Amino acid sequence: MNPLFIIHLAILNTFKKRLRVILAIVGIALTSGIIVGLFGVQSGLRNLVDTEIRNGQALDVVSINRRNVQELKLNQEKISAIKSISGVTDAAESVGLFGSASYHGILLNAPVYAVSQTYFAMNPSAISAGTTEAEPKTDSVIVSEKVLDVFGIEKGGAVGKKIKLNALLTKEYADNLKSDEFSTDEKEYTIRAVVNRGTLPVFYVNIEPFKEQGLTNVGQIDARLTSPDKSAEVREAVERLGFQTSSVQDTIEEINQLFEVIQNILVVFGIVVFVITVSSTFTVITLTLMEETKQIGFLRIMGLRHNDVTKLFVIQSIIVTFLGALLGCVFGIIGGFILNGYARVLAEGSTFSGEISVFLVPGLQVIIILTLSIVVGWLVGIIPARRAIRINPLEELQL
């Protein structure tokens, strides 16, 4: 029999019982949409976290911190020892101090980070204005957006503005201090860049002038390696000196392990929901197809072959399952994009380095779902088709 006639007949029969078929399609679409949405969010969050971590520090950088401030300090002797380790090409020093800044009579007490000029090369930041390349110099300062808000400075005109700044040194970082605290000389700095630090007012200045005023120890060293493959070797050498190390690779590994667990949970969830949906869909489709036995009996008397009967039932079943899966994937993706828009509105003004996407289209899962819908449709249709084939055409007409 003409294949086009069978396809046309299958389409007509599929939507004969509209309410029942719509319920079956909606059930499959709901399941598919939920699965696509969950896997899309999982992929989006994983990519977002991974991107933010990588933007926060390069893969070839190892951060070195003190285990105990009193017992072991990151002084120039230790820093030189770290720089001499095989595999280390450069080291950026940083120390957090309490500081005070003034601009046109407005005073602001906020953290002041004294850093090396290579600090931002190893710790990339979201730049709102200016440039952090080879900055900060001895007479320049890099500020966060919140500093501009406090001082009433427009972001577009911030670069080039001058502010006065000083910081407090303590015995923790200055071994030769006679008192517990020492305020460095107030100095005028020129703003060279503005970085996004959310709601935190922060200043970054060059570390060298503070060394001249008594700074002997730093809070952290960021060591750049010749290659990320050198990370384990360098970290072991540094830890033998008594310091603790960390790397963005540690966080990435932990995040990957967490999301692997989440993915396994989603797979189990998807299988359970899929089985439930298939069983209910099978019942709906079987009832629909079995009600067509009179039509099948008439067509068989007119010359419809067993193979044609099977094709008719299978095509009807695949139409329902595939249409449900397709609609579910489409609605799941649309819902994911809506979620992205909502997340971007909520995160407006935050410290994210790029455009937020908490949902990514799970291409592999979409392909699997659509493929499974065809396979399931074939399986669901083949069983009633075999039953219809076994019935005598005359008996079918009497049903």
Side-chain angles (χ1 to χ4, degrees):
M1 188 168 286
N2 192 329
L4 292 178
F5 172 77
I6 295 176
I7 295 174
H8 180 68
L9 183 61
I11 294 174
L12 292 176
N13 289 341
T14 299
F15 297 98
K16 187 182 298 181
K17 299 289 184 178
R18 292 185 180 179
L19 180 60
R20 186 184 295 169
V21 171
I22 289 174
L23 289 175
I25 291 175
V26 169
I28 298 172
L30 184 61
T31 301
S32 303
I34 291 174
I35 294 174
V36 168
L38 290 176
F39 274 102
V41 170
Q42 184 258 350
S43 299
L45 290 177
R46 183 172 187 169
N47 180 74
L48 178 63
V49 173
D50 185 66
T51 300
E52 290 302 314
I53 292 173
R54 291 177 187 273
N55 287 338
Q57 189 184 69
L59 290 174
D60 60 349
V61 172
V62 171
S63 296
I64 303 164
N65 299 277
R66 303 162 297 171
R67 293 185 186 277
N68 188 299
V69 175
Q70 302 301 325
E71 295 179 2
L72 192 62
K73 297 181 179 181
L74 271 170
N75 52 31
Q76 293 306 309
E77 179 184 352
K78 296 297 183 182
I79 293 172
S80 298
I82 291 171
K83 289 182 178 180
S84 66
I85 295 174
S86 175
V88 176
T89 61
D90 195 8
E93 307 167 30
S94 62
V95 57
L97 305 171
F98 182 78
S100 177
S102 62
Y103 175 78
H104 290 182
I106 302 174
L107 297 177
L108 172 62
N109 295 322
V112 174
Y113 287 92
V115 300
S116 304
Q117 282 185 285
T118 54
Y119 175 82
F120 284 99
M122 300 186 196
N123 298 273
S125 299
I127 302 173
S128 304
T131 178
T132 59
E133 186 175 356
E135 293 286 353
K137 296 182 175 64
T138 55
D139 61 346
S140 61
V141 61
I142 295 172
V143 303
S144 66
E145 292 180 353
K146 186 61 178 180
V147 171
L148 303 184
D149 293 339
V150 174
F151 286 152
I153 302 174
E154 292 291 334
K155 190 186 301 182
V159 176
K161 298 289 185 183
K162 297 183 182 297
I163 62 174
K164 292 182 179 180
L165 180 70
N166 72 314
L168 291 177
L169 288 179
T170 64
K171 286 186 176 181
E172 178 182 340
Y173 297 111
D175 293 333
N176 300 323
L177 281 185
K178 294 180 180 180
S179 61
D180 291 336
E181 291 184 351
F182 168 73
S183 178
T184 60
D185 297 332
E186 187 177 65
K187 182 179 176 180
E188 189 175 66
Y189 292 89
T190 303
I191 299 176
R192 292 301 180 195
V194 180
V195 294
N196 192 332
R197 285 291 182 267
T199 58
L200 296 176
V202 181
F203 299 90
Y204 295 92
V205 295
N206 192 286
I207 196 171
E208 296 305 322
F210 290 88
K211 290 182 179 179
E212 295 173 2
Q213 297 186 61
L215 183 71
T216 56
N217 311 312
V218 299
Q220 179 175 302
I221 294 289
D222 293 311
R224 185 177 291 282
L225 314 181
T226 54
S227 167
D229 297 334
K230 287 282 187 179
S231 179
E233 178 184 334
V234 171
R235 293 178 66 175
E236 183 179 352
V238 171
E239 288 170 3
R240 282 201 297 266
L241 295 175
F243 299 104
Q244 62 183 11
T245 63
S246 61
S247 170
V248 66
Q249 296 183 28
D250 298 338
T251 308
I252 291 174
E253 289 177 4
E254 292 174 359
I255 293 298
N256 286 338
Q257 291 175 359
L258 173 62
F259 278 104
E260 283 177 7
V261 173
I262 294 175
Q263 184 169 340
N264 292 334
I265 293 173
L266 290 179
V267 169
V268 173
F269 171 79
I271 292 174
V272 172
V273 174
F274 183 75
V275 170
I276 296 173
T277 304
V278 167
S279 61
S280 59
T281 305
F282 174 77
T283 303
V284 172
I285 293 178
T286 300
L287 288 173
T288 301
L289 297 179
M290 285 297 96
E291 290 175 354
E292 300 169 7
T293 52
K294 281 190 176 182
Q295 182 190 68
I296 298 302
F298 175 77
L299 291 174
R300 286 188 62 190
I301 290 175
M302 297 297 294
L304 192 70
R305 296 169 298 179
H306 289 181
N307 189 38
D308 294 330
V309 174
T310 302
K311 288 179 182 178
L312 179 63
F313 277 62
V314 169
I315 291 172
Q316 287 182 237
S317 180
I318 289 177
I319 288 173
V320 175
T321 55
F322 183 78
L323 186 58
L326 181 62
L327 289 175
C329 291
V330 170
F331 288 128
I333 292 171
I334 292 174
F337 287 146
I338 293 173
L339 182 62
N340 279 343
Y342 183 66
R344 287 164 190 165
V345 171
L346 290 180
E348 188 175 357
S350 66
T351 59
F352 286 99
S353 57
E355 188 176 56
I356 295 176
S357 293
V358 296
F359 173 88
L360 291 178
V361 178
L364 178 61
Q365 283 76 17
V366 169
I367 293 173
I368 291 174
I369 288 173
L370 295 177
T371 303
L372 279 177
S373 70
I374 296 174
V375 174
V376 170
W378 180 80
L379 292 174
V380 171
I382 203 73
I383 296 175
R386 288 181 177 178
R387 180 177 180 276
I389 290 171
R390 289 196 298 266
I391 298 177
N392 188 292
L394 296 176
E395 293 179 356
E396 292 179 0
L397 291 174
Q398 296 173 358
L399 291 176

